[in-house]
Amino acid sequence: MKPYDWKSAEPAARELWKNAGLYATNLDADNLLYILVMFPYPSGARLHVGHWFQYSVFDTFCRFKRMQGAEVFQPMGYDAFGLPAENYAIKTGVPPQQSTAENIAISDRQFHEMGALFDDGHKVTTCEPAYYRWNQYLFLKLYHAGLAYRAQAPVNWCPSCQTVLANEQVTSDGECERCDSAVIQKELVQWFFRITRYADRLLADMKELDWPEETLQMQRNWIGRSEGTEVDFAVPARYCAGGVERKLRVYTTRIDTIYGATFMVLAPEHPLVAQVTQAEQRAAVDAYVAATRRLTELDRTATQRDKTGVFTGAYARNPLTGEEVPIWIADYVLASYGHGAIMAVPAHDERDHAFALKFGLPIVEVIRDPDERGQECFTGPGIMMSSGAYSGLTTAAGKQALDAWLAAHGLGGAAVSYRLRDWLISRQRYWGTPIPIVHCPRCGEVPLGVDQLPLLLPEDVAFRPHGSSPLETSERFMNTECPRCGGAARRDPDTMDTFVCSSWYFLRYPCAQLSDRPFDEDVIRRVTPVDIYVGGKEHATMHLLYARFLMKALRDAGCDVPHEPFKRLIHQGMILGANSQKMSKSRGNTVDPDVFVQVHGADVFRFYMLFGFDFQAGGPWSDDGIRASAAFLARVQRLVESVEDLFAVPADSAAASDAPEDRAEISALLYVLHSGLQSATRDLERFHFNTAAARMMEITNELYKLMGDPARKARNAVSIRSAVEILMRMLSPFAPHFAEHLWRETGHASVLAREPWPVPDARCLARNTVAVAVQINGKLRGTVEVEAGANEEVVLAAARQQSNIARYLEAGAVAKVIHVPGKILNVIVR
């Protein structure tokens, strides 16, 4: 057998796979399995450890399912729009089109060298007009369905990136997730998708998903459905601009506490602030509103933050008590939640309680704690008190009664509120999908026709951020004709959030070559939803939620697509530095895969990714793990070399040994082999690759036990050859180039990656051997594996086969043998 030289063996294996059609998929197959990994951004650098962990392990699973008989659809593409290429253009002047194309070429080559069997014929690149024209098409679908709209709203603004950020793109520290700059608030006219219209469906359809519960709970929390009450307070005319009484509607989950409402709080952005602020309070209110604009939503809602606020000078009338209570503004109330106003009940809400204590506002207890724990601020359910006719009712009964009274009097009633906000898709950046809307001074917003797509990105732009979209610097792009009246008009200057690209790309993969529509609905019905989707849990409230929304929205807009995009979801963990901290250059704990790949080849690195970590948990890096993986594959190489001669003999020409001692050892081998195969198969289905790799190591160890005696190996050639073949098949998804080399070197003409995954033999799974302790003159000298029920003669013969026992037996004459079947053999030697 030729020694394994990865530099020649790896390209040779990939050529075999190409000739065997392994890089292509028959989408008409009845046994089609759509397995997808979240597509990467083409950064241009060599693949880092995280890429190897995600994509090589994903490829292993796909190879396993292919060997099990599935026609696996395993496409790959690039999420190619976004800030990095644009920032690179700002720094170097290299257009994003050029740098992105170069980076994609690098990534394609690296994935190929990794051994990944990505379908070459179904590649998707989101920055190409052939793709983003369909982003524009889908935008128009939503626009005509009333699901895309433009509105002025307070937004998160990154001063460094000079663009709007969705709430999901602001860190818990109030910083831009991309550049770590402090995020501020800014009022802008923006485009939104009405994801809020789908809140209940997004919640209800979770029951169909085979997703991690943690991820589903993150989405539930993000949607934030709550059941409560809407109630109208009145602001008397004497406090209102224009001298007309105004309605102040609030949403509360604790209407049972309304008799304890001692003040109202408006979000600083609430439209009533300007209408009700009294002259003597105007300067203080205006200053407070301006200061709030510099804070992010996360800043404002931090529970540990000191409460601030300003009195407007106006009062509102409680509809239940008729009493007037002061109206304040405070930044802990958000315009985006409920109606941007609250009734403050400081006796029964901790934030209101802290605010009341700071500003000396009344605190009136109206809910009695049934357990009488004497809490200063009791926030739980209890018994209503000091609440007029409702005193004595439980919280639940009081809510029901008050909801009915408010509804009967036209002052509100039971309502549902959500934390979820509409998806803000506008970005003031260049490298994204242009929005297919024209703004006409006569016709207003005018959508482009489908026949006018794609609306191409201009190239004559100034990339450097200047507070508005770079597209505005291209007069050739911005100036256009109105599609409706033919008059002079301006294009929309913003581009779409890149999450629009990734919210439907899985529909484009099966139809990547289609030029007249985004996807073929007949193909989509047959191929989707995606059977198994692999990616990071950090996308729970962004990509994964947006993709779910878009499928439902497109169905409502008349597209025959699945109402859920991904059946089963698997999250990968993170590989940390050797110091158990997140890898970063500043910490000096990064790992360059190339350093190891250039020494050992791709498969050693792949195997360490699989064996060294729990895929769904990750863990700290260890150079020792690489060395151990290399040592194991070398050990398998030596094992196969040692039995190479067995493959020269036809498999059906040798008879299995019938010697009792051979039967016992082969029985033990077959048990380890088939029980290990059974466990590995089960582990692979659950993405437990590390334990599946451990089973292969156990099988290898068991085979080595039979290699010491050439005569024994020859007698058991059939079983040993079969076991080694099974081991090579099991190894194929893990170290595909290496296993393919061994398969060819042992005389197989077939392509191993096309071979079927072995099936455990149920007959071998029952343990019909026992370990018998062997004593010589009362001292334990070893154990032997024999068939259950073996007699004294068989056990003694097996003992003579072991050198560490045989030397004691040969030291004298056997005077006596004491045998306890299945347990012990004691030989008296004189």
Side-chain angles (χ1 to χ4, degrees), residues 9 27 33 75 136 160 163 178 195 271 308 391 438-439 446 491 506 511 579 654 743 769 788:
L27 295 182
L33 193 64
Q136 295 166 341
S160 174
T163 192
R178 174 72 65 180
I195 190 173
T308 62
S391 295
V438 167
H439 300 284
V446 182
R491 297 196 188 280
F506 44 89
C511 314
N579 57 0
W743 189 255
T769 63

Side-chain angles (χ1 to χ4, degrees), residues 474-550:
S474 172
E475 288 299 315
R476 183 182 60 81
F477 174 83
M478 292 298 298
N479 293 319
T480 187
E481 292 183 355
C482 172
R484 187 171 296 159
C485 72
R490 299 277 285 176
R491 297 196 188 280
D492 197 285
D494 290 348
T495 53
M496 296 185 205
D497 180 6
T498 55
F499 280 117
V500 175
C501 300
S502 59
S503 292
W504 72 279
Y505 76 112
F506 44 89
L507 301 181
R508 184 65 180 170
Y509 273 137
C511 314
Q513 307 305 321
L514 204 61
S515 60
D516 62 341
R517 54 198 187 281
F519 42 79
D520 184 321
E521 294 187 355
D522 290 336
V523 174
I524 294 305
R525 276 193 297 272
R526 188 168 65 251
V527 175
T528 65
V530 174
D531 293 291
I532 301 171
Y533 194 41
V534 179
K537 65 181 178 181
E538 66 272 15
H539 296 292
T541 58
M542 294 183 285
H543 161 58
L544 292 169
L545 187 64
Y546 295 154
R548 296 186 62 219
F549 151 70
L550 193 59

Side-chain angles (χ1 to χ4, degrees), residues 15 39 82 84 111 149 165 214 300 450 510 514 534 606 643 691 706 761 826:
E15 188 65 22
F39 59 175
F111 282 127
Y149 68 95
L165 303 176
E214 178 187 7
R300 293 169 60 175
V450 173
L514 204 61
V534 179
R606 271 183 77 128
V643 298
T691 52
L706 298 174
D761 187 337
N826 189 13

